[in-house]
């Protein structure tokens, strides 16, 4: 087999994510929908991932969201489609369930869906909503590819999700360094 896996960009991102998590003795879990498992497979593609990867869920159907993400039947009945709120809820729930330091979640439209028609009928094909739940805050990002190609969108969603996670981890690292410097300065005075 000659196909490159993971793609070069994914490997670069996962190497950086792994290094940060190991250095800080932190962990990650992933809740996926539109990526179809690509995020998790990229993350576990490097040796030693079990040190910092707690696991993940693939909540592709509404039924799996009910069973795997703590959603009630009422939540399913009122579901209006992928959104920032859904991504954040998936991240928060899985973080609590698996006890990870961080959870990355995604939900979106990789292609047209005949079974998932949001109220208003607009499927934002090529749009994904990310949520990261971490020790100090929850954050989100929306990304649009501009494409209607399912496989392209899934791959782009996964790469962008890793980029978002890395941004969050690096921001936390910067914030922690600034707090340490401030604390050191206070102790000297």
């Amino acid at each position: 087999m000659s196909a490159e896996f993971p793609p070069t960009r994914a490997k670069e991102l996962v190497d950086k994510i792994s290094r940060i998590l190991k250095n800080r003795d932190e962990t990650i879990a992933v809740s996926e929908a539109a990526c179809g498992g690509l995020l998790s497979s990229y993350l576990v593609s490097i040796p030693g991932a079990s040190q910092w990867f707690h696991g993940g869920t693939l909540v592709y159907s509404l039924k799996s969201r009910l069973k795997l993400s703590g959603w009630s039947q009422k939540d399913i009945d009122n579901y209006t489609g992928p959104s920032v709120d859904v991504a954040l809820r998936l991240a928060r729930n899985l973080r609590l369930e698996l006890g990870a330091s961080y959870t990355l979640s995604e939900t979106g439209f990789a292609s047209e869906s005949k079974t998932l028609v949001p109220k208003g009928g607009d499927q934002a094909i090529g749009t994904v909503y990310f949520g990261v739940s971490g020790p100090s805050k929850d954050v989100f990002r929306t990304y649009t590819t501009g494409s209607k190609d399912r496989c392209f969108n899934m791959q782009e969603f996964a790469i962008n999700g890793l980029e978002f996670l890395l941004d969050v981890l690096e921001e936390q690292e910067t914030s922690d360094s600034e707090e340490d410097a401030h604390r050191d300065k206070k102790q000297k005075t």
Side-chain angles (χ1 to χ4, degrees):
M1 225 171 192
S2 62
E4 180 186 12
F5 186 87
T8 301
R9 180 67 180 138
K11 183 170 180 359
E12 293 167 356
L13 292 164
V14 171
D15 285 342
K16 291 176 183 177
I17 290 165
S18 172
R19 200 168 23 256
I20 290 170
L21 291 171
K22 285 193 288 191
N23 287 342
R24 295 189 335 211
D25 196 28
E26 292 179 328
T27 57
I28 183 75
V30 177
S31 176
E32 296 184 70
C35 287
L38 285 175
L39 282 167
S40 294
S41 61
Y42 289 165
L43 287 166
V44 300
S45 69
I46 65 168
S50 62
Q51 294 173 10
W52 47 267
F53 184 75
H54 271 337
T57 58
L58 179 56
V59 290
Y60 200 72
S61 69
L62 292 179
K63 183 177 180 178
S64 66
R65 288 197 183 135
L66 174 63
K67 297 288 185 190
L68 300 174
S69 296
W71 287 35
S72 69
Q73 187 60 51
K74 182 180 177 184
D75 295 329
I76 298 297
D77 293 342
N78 294 325
Y79 182 71
T80 59
S83 68
V84 166
D85 290 338
V86 171
L88 287 171
R89 182 167 183 191
L90 291 169
R92 289 179 193 122
N93 285 351
L94 189 60
R95 184 167 176 259
L96 291 173
E97 288 175 25
L98 293 184
S101 308
Y102 293 89
T103 300
L104 169 64
S105 71
E106 61 81 13
T107 184
F109 294 99
S111 65
E112 185 176 357
S113 171
K114 293 186 184 340
T115 59
L116 179 59
V117 180
K119 291 180 182 173
D122 182 32
Q123 293 180 5
I125 299 169
T127 300
V128 65
Y129 306 92
F130 296 106
V132 170
S133 182
S136 60
K137 64 181 177 177
D138 298 337
V139 293
F140 65 90
R141 177 182 288 173
T142 301
Y143 177 70
T144 302
T145 66
S147 174
K148 294 186 185 284
D149 181 287
R150 181 182 187 81
C151 292
F152 174 81
N153 286 336
M154 291 171 68
Q155 292 174 58
E156 284 296 303
F157 292 174
I159 293 296
N160 196 265
L162 293 174
E163 289 171 345
F164 178 44
L165 176 60
L166 181 60
D167 288 348
V168 170
L169 294 173
E170 288 177 337
E171 179 185 302
Q172 184 65 45
E173 201 166 43
T174 301
S175 176
D176 290 347
S177 296
E178 289 171 359
E179 286 177 21
D180 289 345
H182 180 71
R183 194 174 14 258
D184 290 346
K185 185 177 178 182
K186 277 182 106 175
Q187 288 176 351
K188 290 179 182 178
T189 55

